[in-house]
Amino acid sequence: MLKVAIVGCGKIADDHASQIQRISGCKIVAVCDTEPLMARQLAERFQINEQFTDLAKMLADARPDVVHITTPPESHFKIADFCLNRGCHVYVEKPF
């Protein structure tokens, strides 16, 4: 089972979540957003058990294999670098 996490729970995160859930052998194990309400709402819409406001805690607790970064573009590099240095693969929609 490929464990996936989503960082950034705005509008585009819904598109990512709906497509990830269509892939056999993948499971969204966590979502993360600095705004707790955004994380909770995405988790509820897609029946995801874990939600976080702290990226380091999410990586440590949920231990995803891959992280989809769906935050504003100016934050992509910092988040991708952080995840890569902790052994996660990353999916970044826009170039950083």
Side-chain angles (χ1 to χ4, degrees):
M1 179 66 62
L2 185 65
K3 298 187 302 183
V4 180
I6 299 174
V7 177
C9 298
K11 283 177 84 172
I12 196 65
D14 282 47
D15 294 335
H16 284 251
S18 66
Q19 294 305 311
I20 294 164
Q21 287 186 336
R22 295 180 64 207
I23 301 170
S24 175
C26 286
K27 180 178 181 176
I28 303 172
V29 295
V31 297
C32 183
D33 197 289
T34 56
E35 174 55 52
L37 179 62
M38 296 295 286
R40 182 174 55 81
Q41 288 176 339
L42 182 65
E44 287 174 358
R45 280 194 301 277
F46 290 93
Q47 297 155 356
I48 301 164
N49 293 333
E50 299 286 336
Q51 59 221 294
F52 297 87
T53 56
D54 180 85
L55 178 59
K57 182 159 177 48
M58 183 196 74
L59 295 177
D61 291 358
R63 304 178 52 95
D65 301 306
V66 63
V67 176
H68 279 234
I69 300 172
T70 58
T71 58
E74 60 272 8
S75 65
H76 288 177
F77 178 80
K78 183 178 178 182
I79 295 169
D81 185 57
F82 189 84
C83 293
L84 288 167
N85 282 309
R86 282 152 186 80
C88 294
H89 298 277
V90 296
Y91 179 90
V92 181
E93 191 170 304
K94 296 177 183 79
F96 48 87

